[in-house]
Short mmCIF file of all heavy atoms in Angstrom, two decimals:
data_model
loop_
_atom_site.label_atom_id
_atom_site.label_comp_id
_atom_site.label_asym_id
_atom_site.label_seq_id
_atom_site.Cartn_x
_atom_site.Cartn_y
_atom_site.Cartn_z
N GLY A 28 -41.32 -55.71 -27.04
CA GLY A 28 -40.74 -54.90 -28.14
C GLY A 28 -41.48 -53.58 -28.36
O GLY A 28 -41.41 -52.99 -29.41
N SER A 29 -42.26 -53.15 -27.35
CA SER A 29 -43.05 -51.91 -27.52
C SER A 29 -42.47 -50.78 -26.61
O SER A 29 -43.14 -49.70 -26.50
CB SER A 29 -44.45 -52.21 -27.08
OG SER A 29 -44.59 -52.64 -25.71
N ALA A 30 -41.20 -50.92 -26.11
CA ALA A 30 -40.71 -49.83 -25.25
C ALA A 30 -40.04 -48.78 -26.13
O ALA A 30 -39.35 -49.10 -27.03
CB ALA A 30 -39.59 -50.44 -24.28
N ARG A 31 -40.39 -47.59 -25.72
CA ARG A 31 -39.59 -46.46 -26.35
C ARG A 31 -38.18 -46.58 -25.80
O ARG A 31 -38.02 -46.87 -24.59
CB ARG A 31 -40.22 -45.15 -25.95
CG ARG A 31 -41.54 -44.88 -26.71
CD ARG A 31 -42.17 -43.55 -26.29
NE ARG A 31 -42.70 -43.65 -24.93
CZ ARG A 31 -42.35 -42.88 -23.90
NH1 ARG A 31 -41.56 -41.87 -24.21
NH2 ARG A 31 -42.89 -43.00 -22.75
N ARG A 32 -37.17 -46.23 -26.51
CA ARG A 32 -35.76 -46.40 -26.12
C ARG A 32 -35.13 -45.05 -25.91
O ARG A 32 -34.54 -44.43 -26.86
CB ARG A 32 -34.99 -47.16 -27.12
CG ARG A 32 -35.54 -48.57 -27.49
CD ARG A 32 -34.91 -49.54 -26.45
NE ARG A 32 -35.44 -50.94 -26.74
CZ ARG A 32 -34.74 -51.80 -27.39
NH1 ARG A 32 -33.57 -51.51 -27.92
NH2 ARG A 32 -35.25 -52.98 -27.59
N PRO A 33 -35.14 -44.50 -24.69
CA PRO A 33 -34.57 -43.20 -24.46
C PRO A 33 -33.01 -43.31 -24.30
O PRO A 33 -32.37 -42.29 -24.06
CB PRO A 33 -35.22 -42.76 -23.24
CG PRO A 33 -35.56 -43.94 -22.47
CD PRO A 33 -35.85 -45.01 -23.51
N ALA A 34 -32.40 -44.51 -24.39
CA ALA A 34 -30.98 -44.66 -24.21
C ALA A 34 -30.49 -43.97 -22.98
O ALA A 34 -29.56 -43.10 -23.02
CB ALA A 34 -30.24 -44.21 -25.39
N PRO A 35 -31.10 -44.31 -21.80
CA PRO A 35 -30.70 -43.54 -20.65
C PRO A 35 -29.33 -43.71 -20.10
O PRO A 35 -28.92 -43.11 -19.25
CB PRO A 35 -31.79 -44.07 -19.56
CG PRO A 35 -32.06 -45.43 -20.07
CD PRO A 35 -31.99 -45.37 -21.52
N LEU A 36 -28.57 -44.74 -20.64
CA LEU A 36 -27.31 -44.96 -20.22
C LEU A 36 -26.13 -44.41 -21.06
O LEU A 36 -24.98 -44.73 -20.94
CB LEU A 36 -27.01 -46.48 -20.04
CG LEU A 36 -27.89 -47.20 -19.01
CD1 LEU A 36 -27.48 -48.64 -18.89
CD2 LEU A 36 -27.72 -46.48 -17.59
N ASP A 37 -26.61 -43.50 -22.06
CA ASP A 37 -25.63 -42.93 -22.90
C ASP A 37 -24.50 -42.22 -22.06
O ASP A 37 -24.82 -41.43 -21.20
CB ASP A 37 -26.25 -41.81 -23.76
CG ASP A 37 -26.79 -42.45 -25.09
OD1 ASP A 37 -26.52 -43.61 -25.35
OD2 ASP A 37 -27.48 -41.66 -25.80
N GLY A 38 -23.33 -42.56 -22.38
CA GLY A 38 -22.15 -41.97 -21.71
C GLY A 38 -21.92 -42.49 -20.31
O GLY A 38 -21.02 -42.03 -19.61
N GLN A 39 -22.69 -43.46 -19.91
CA GLN A 39 -22.45 -44.04 -18.50
C GLN A 39 -21.75 -45.44 -18.55
O GLN A 39 -21.74 -46.07 -19.56
CB GLN A 39 -23.88 -44.17 -17.87
CG GLN A 39 -24.56 -42.87 -17.77
CD GLN A 39 -25.77 -42.88 -16.81
OE1 GLN A 39 -25.74 -43.56 -15.76
NE2 GLN A 39 -26.79 -42.06 -17.15
N VAL A 40 -21.12 -45.65 -17.47
CA VAL A 40 -20.30 -46.91 -17.34
C VAL A 40 -20.87 -47.79 -16.27
O VAL A 40 -21.10 -47.32 -15.13
CB VAL A 40 -18.85 -46.58 -17.00
CG1 VAL A 40 -17.99 -47.87 -16.99
CG2 VAL A 40 -18.28 -45.63 -18.13
N VAL A 41 -21.17 -49.06 -16.62
CA VAL A 41 -21.73 -50.03 -15.74
C VAL A 41 -20.62 -51.07 -15.46
O VAL A 41 -20.07 -51.67 -16.36
CB VAL A 41 -22.96 -50.73 -16.44
CG1 VAL A 41 -23.50 -51.84 -15.50
CG2 VAL A 41 -24.05 -49.67 -16.75
N GLY A 42 -20.38 -51.20 -14.13
CA GLY A 42 -19.56 -52.35 -13.70
C GLY A 42 -20.36 -53.48 -13.35
O GLY A 42 -21.35 -53.41 -12.67
N VAL A 43 -19.94 -54.64 -13.81
CA VAL A 43 -20.66 -55.92 -13.50
C VAL A 43 -19.71 -56.84 -12.83
O VAL A 43 -18.76 -57.37 -13.41
CB VAL A 43 -21.13 -56.53 -14.89
CG1 VAL A 43 -21.86 -57.87 -14.69
CG2 VAL A 43 -22.08 -55.57 -15.58
N TYR A 44 -19.91 -56.96 -11.51
CA TYR A 44 -19.00 -57.73 -10.63
C TYR A 44 -19.70 -59.00 -10.21
O TYR A 44 -20.63 -58.96 -9.41
CB TYR A 44 -18.55 -56.95 -9.43
CG TYR A 44 -17.90 -57.70 -8.31
CD1 TYR A 44 -16.84 -58.56 -8.65
CD2 TYR A 44 -18.30 -57.55 -7.07
CE1 TYR A 44 -16.25 -59.32 -7.66
CE2 TYR A 44 -17.66 -58.24 -6.07
CZ TYR A 44 -16.65 -59.10 -6.32
OH TYR A 44 -16.08 -59.77 -5.31
N PHE A 45 -19.26 -60.19 -10.60
CA PHE A 45 -19.84 -61.39 -10.24
C PHE A 45 -18.75 -62.26 -9.49
O PHE A 45 -17.86 -62.83 -10.12
CB PHE A 45 -20.36 -62.19 -11.37
CG PHE A 45 -21.76 -61.67 -11.78
CD1 PHE A 45 -21.99 -60.47 -12.27
CD2 PHE A 45 -22.87 -62.52 -11.56
CE1 PHE A 45 -23.29 -59.97 -12.59
CE2 PHE A 45 -24.16 -62.03 -11.81
CZ PHE A 45 -24.35 -60.79 -12.33
N ALA A 46 -18.95 -62.33 -8.13
CA ALA A 46 -18.04 -63.14 -7.37
C ALA A 46 -18.38 -64.56 -7.44
O ALA A 46 -17.63 -65.45 -6.88
CB ALA A 46 -18.09 -62.59 -5.94
N LYS A 47 -19.54 -64.86 -7.99
CA LYS A 47 -20.08 -66.25 -8.12
C LYS A 47 -20.50 -66.44 -9.55
O LYS A 47 -20.72 -65.49 -10.28
CB LYS A 47 -21.27 -66.52 -7.18
CG LYS A 47 -20.98 -66.40 -5.70
CD LYS A 47 -20.15 -67.50 -5.20
CE LYS A 47 -19.72 -67.21 -3.76
NZ LYS A 47 -18.75 -68.21 -3.25
N THR A 48 -20.59 -67.76 -9.95
CA THR A 48 -20.92 -68.10 -11.31
C THR A 48 -22.33 -67.52 -11.78
O THR A 48 -23.19 -67.43 -10.90
CB THR A 48 -20.92 -69.54 -11.60
OG1 THR A 48 -21.84 -70.20 -10.61
CG2 THR A 48 -19.57 -70.11 -11.47
N SER A 49 -22.46 -67.21 -13.02
CA SER A 49 -23.73 -66.71 -13.53
C SER A 49 -23.73 -66.90 -15.02
O SER A 49 -22.72 -66.55 -15.68
CB SER A 49 -24.02 -65.36 -13.14
OG SER A 49 -25.11 -64.77 -13.82
N THR A 50 -24.81 -67.38 -15.52
CA THR A 50 -24.96 -67.34 -17.03
C THR A 50 -26.02 -66.24 -17.36
O THR A 50 -25.78 -65.29 -18.25
CB THR A 50 -25.51 -68.64 -17.60
OG1 THR A 50 -24.46 -69.62 -17.29
CG2 THR A 50 -25.80 -68.62 -19.11
N ARG A 51 -27.19 -66.26 -16.74
CA ARG A 51 -28.30 -65.38 -17.14
C ARG A 51 -28.14 -64.01 -16.62
O ARG A 51 -28.17 -63.02 -17.40
CB ARG A 51 -29.64 -66.04 -16.54
CG ARG A 51 -30.21 -67.03 -17.42
CD ARG A 51 -30.92 -68.04 -16.54
NE ARG A 51 -29.91 -68.84 -15.85
CZ ARG A 51 -29.25 -69.94 -16.41
NH1 ARG A 51 -29.71 -70.35 -17.54
NH2 ARG A 51 -28.28 -70.48 -15.75
#
Side-chain angles (χ1 to χ4, degrees):
S29 61
R31 288 177 290 124
R32 300 275 181 96
L36 296 184
D37 270 353
Q39 301 194 36
V40 181
V41 177
V43 178
Y44 166 50
F45 277 68
K47 300 288 176 185
T48 54
S49 169
T50 297
R51 278 145 290 274

